């Protein structure tokens, strides 16, 4: 007798990893082309194991550490012998679950992978909001929130990098979820290339979410016995809103993802010459900028773009990693000691993935750039992309960069990447492997960075991609901080840093004070306000401080001292968003609170001005209600309860773009 159970349908039931073409019509998790041309994939449970410790992913970034457990679930498509292993890492301390997937071809013929998502997550409800972080160059990670509608929606990048336009971090939450209330789920992909984060609100009010490498241009050949590994995704669920989710992501990323070469140490306050000079500099001028900044407390001088090859603008030089001795006579061997004599460390900008047609490297190896020989290539910022999928290309660039690193005492590099990928075709791969180039490029990038990490263990690397075009959890595994945006305008930065803060810790957010009128917006903001905005990150300067007035220099000196004193609170404390800069157009405020709640730093910046402004009474967060706190050293003590539930009254502000910081210190024990 055949019993038909109409409640059992693959198209309805939640799946840990969805099938393809065998009855579940919702989003697929994997699409595999078998030798007979079929795409059908029916995944059946085979076995599972649980062991202590965290799985590792060869050649890919991953969370790591001691207190983890791993669950491995093996599925198999009975007709084709495609085996899929679902990997789950569980870190109880941070309530974090990671996921990855390995696909093994256990059959006898080649297969082609067209889609391999890192995770599939079925919610048994459709009434959720989707929050994404979107924008463009100089306006990265603006928060967008909308209720899920029936059908597919999401964010993605096919730019070869995670992109300025969409970030590989999304949140699903209840419609009324806020900072401290409502159920929310955050999902971050540890991947720096094309990604897809897609949700489908389905016919019966359930929601499927898949996230992983974007299927666009992806076709990976898997010979019998070979295995493909998808990048890792990280998930945190908070029943109490965004703030606890943020705190867990921040701690987990700081403690289990980032590999800081100098853990526990304060990073030096840096001065970068880019906005002051761009390509137009010489050694004496740079030493002048460094000398002035050393007097004001800066500890690391970073020489940005323009120090190598024939590089007087962005049309030439990339690929020729030899010092331009007309700008720097005697090379780094002569220049770096002059910086070190000032008591500063030295850092250097590089853009290893790129080449200009007007370069010795391109003249010698035109086929090292991505692109089909018979088609004209698309340029971005006048440059082409080197084929980092090729080991020989990477080896050449690696050796060239190592020669530079070995020539002087260099403690930091800024790794830039200033265009999206196009003409994605590699001269080193056969036609049936061209669909692998996007991903092989990212693996090549990771391989390069891993070699640097191994060969130069003390070297600190800051990531950068035209600002924040590759600000993702994958890069953070190799580069513990990332230049947040090319937009250094203090007011615009409030929004960029607000969006960035939902997943990424303050210590990862590269932020500098720059000159006014601001190079990107033309806006003038007081030096105090620029300092407050930049202090909510790694903190540094990007201007010729010699051009400041004596009064401004005094403020800069105070700012660097203040940052040095409170860096631990700022970078390792819990971060609270006190306002939403997309809704409150009058002012933006945020707060750092030490883990033991004995101190806090509140920052507030006004974004507009008008007559007869209402008083600002700001309700603080994260304090101990039973303790009393002094504010900026005051004799008067304020109860933590009063500061949180009644609020702190600010004086009336006069003039545009003002700022205040309150340092709170607890005077009583709980
Ligand atoms: C883009 C970066 O974001 C800038 O900070 C600067 O390094 C330029 N590239 C240099 O070309």
């Amino acid at each position: 007798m055949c019993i038909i159970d109409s409640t059992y349908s693959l198209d309805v039931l939640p799946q840990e990893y969805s099938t393809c073409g065998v009855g579940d019509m919702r989003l697929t998790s994997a699409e595999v082309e078998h030798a007979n041309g079929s795409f059908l994939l029916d995944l059946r449970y085979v076995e599972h194991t649980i062991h202590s410790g965290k799985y590792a992913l060869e050649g890919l970034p991953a969370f790591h550490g001691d207190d983890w457990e791993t669950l491995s679930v093996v599925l198999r498509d009975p007709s084709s012998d495609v085996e899929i292993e679902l990997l789950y890492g569980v870190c109880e301390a941070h309530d974090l679950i990671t996921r990855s997937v390995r696909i093994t071809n256990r059959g006898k013929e080649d297969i082609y992978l067209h889609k391999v998502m890192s995770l599939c997550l079925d919610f048994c409800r459709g009434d959720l909001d989707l929050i994404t972080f979107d924008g463009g160059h100089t306006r990265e990670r603006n928060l967008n929130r909308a209720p899920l509608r029936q059908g597919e929606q999401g964010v993605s990048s096919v730019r070869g990098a995670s992109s300025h336009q969409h970030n590989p971090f999304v949140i699903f939450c209840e419609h009324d979820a806020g900072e401290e209330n409502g159920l929310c789920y955050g999902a971050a992909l540890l991947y720096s290339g094309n990604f897809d984060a897609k949700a489908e609100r389905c016919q019966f009010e359930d929601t499927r979410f898949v996230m992983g490498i974007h299927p666009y241009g992806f076709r990976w050949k898997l010979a019998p016995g070979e295995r493909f590994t998808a990048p890792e995704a990280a998930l945190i669920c908070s029943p109490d809103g965004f703030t606890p989710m943020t705190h867990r992501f921040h701690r987990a990323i700081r403690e289990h993802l980032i590999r800081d070469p100098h853990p526990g140490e304060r990073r030096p306050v840096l001065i970068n010459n880019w906005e002051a000079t761009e390509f137009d500099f010489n050694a004496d001028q740079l030493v002048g900028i460094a000398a002035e900044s050393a007097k004001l407390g800066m500890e690391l001088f970073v020489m940005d773009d323009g120090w190598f090859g024939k590089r007087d603008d962005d049309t030439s030089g990339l690929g020729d990693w030899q010092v331009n001795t007309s700008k720097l006579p005697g090379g780094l061997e002569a220049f770096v000691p002059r910086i070190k004599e000032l008591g500063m460390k030295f850092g250097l900008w590089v853009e290893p993935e790129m080449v200009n047609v007007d370069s010795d490297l391109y003249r010698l190896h035109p086929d090292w750039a991505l692109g089909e020989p018979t088609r004209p290539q698309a340029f971005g910022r006048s440059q082409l992309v080197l084929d980092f999928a090729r080991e020989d290309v990477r080896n050449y660039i690696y050796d060239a960069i190592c020669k530079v690193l070995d020539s002087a005492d260099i403690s930091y590099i800024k790794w830039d990447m200033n265009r999206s990928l196009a003409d994605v075709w590699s001269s080193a791969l056969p036609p049936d492997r061209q669909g692998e180039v996007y991903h092989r490029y990212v693996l090549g990038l990771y391989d390069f960075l891993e070699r640097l990490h191994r060969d130069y263990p003390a070297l600190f690397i800051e990531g950068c991609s035209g600002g924040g075009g590759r600000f993702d959890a994958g890069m953070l595994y190799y580069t513990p901080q990332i230049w947040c945006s090319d937009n250094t305008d203090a007011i615009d930065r409030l929004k960029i840093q607000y969006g960035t803060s939902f997943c990424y810790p303050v210590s990862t957010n590269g932020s500098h004070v720059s000159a006014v009128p601001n190079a990107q917006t033309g806006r003038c903001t007081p030096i105090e306000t620029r300092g407050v905005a930049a202090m909510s990150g790694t903190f540094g300067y990007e201007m010729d401080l010699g051009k400041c007035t004596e009064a401004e220099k005094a403020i800069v000196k105070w700012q660097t001292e203040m940052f040095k004193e409170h860096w631990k609170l700022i970078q390792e404390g819990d971060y609270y968003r006190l306002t939403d800069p997309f809704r409150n157009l009058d002012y933006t405020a945020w707060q750092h609170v030490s883990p033991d709640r004995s101190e806090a730093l509140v920052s507030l910046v006004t974004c507009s001005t008008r007559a007869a402004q209402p008083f600002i009474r700001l309700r603080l967060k994260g304090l101990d209600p039973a303790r009393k706190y002094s504010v900026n050293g005051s004799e008067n003590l304020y109860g933590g309860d009063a500061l949180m539930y009644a609020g702190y009254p600010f004086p009336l502000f006069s003039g545009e773009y003002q700022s205040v910081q309150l340092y709170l210190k607890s005077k009583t024990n709980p």
Side-chain angles (χ1 to χ4, degrees), residues 427-535:
S427 54
L429 288 172
D432 66 344
R433 288 201 177 271
Q434 292 298 330
E436 300 175 15
V437 181
Y438 271 119
H439 183 53
R440 284 189 184 278
Y441 181 95
V442 179
L443 293 178
L445 166 71
Y446 289 160
D447 169 64
F448 197 120
L449 287 163
E450 190 60 34
R451 282 169 76 182
L452 277 181
H453 180 75
R454 186 195 61 209
D455 296 344
Y456 297 88
L459 183 70
F460 188 90
I461 310 177
E462 171 162 10
C464 175
S465 174
R470 206 159 56 181
F471 203 126
D472 56 68
M475 281 307 281
L476 287 176
Y477 183 69
Y478 305 96
T479 65
Q481 73 187 40
I482 299 178
W483 182 226
C484 187
S485 176
D486 271 352
N487 190 342
T488 55
D489 176 280
I491 303 304
D492 277 8
R493 269 288 180 128
L494 300 175
K495 288 187 175 137
I496 297 170
Q497 294 178 178
Y498 170 82
T500 305
S501 77
F502 276 81
C503 177
Y504 306 108
V506 174
S507 65
T508 66
N509 162 24
S511 51
H512 299 164
V513 175
S514 62
V516 290
N518 181 268
Q520 291 79 28
T521 61
R523 179 168 19 215
C524 289
T525 50
I527 187 88
E528 292 91 338
T529 297
R530 281 174 273 155
V532 169
M535 230 178 259

Side-chain angles (χ1 to χ4, degrees), residues 274 279 304-305 311 349 381 414 416 418 464-467 483 486 542:
W274 176 247
F279 301 98
D304 211 282
D305 196 353
R311 185 81 173 159
W349 177 97
R381 208 201 189 199
K414 174 179 173 187
D416 208 347
N418 280 301
C464 175
S465 174
W483 182 226
D486 271 352
E542 181 146 349

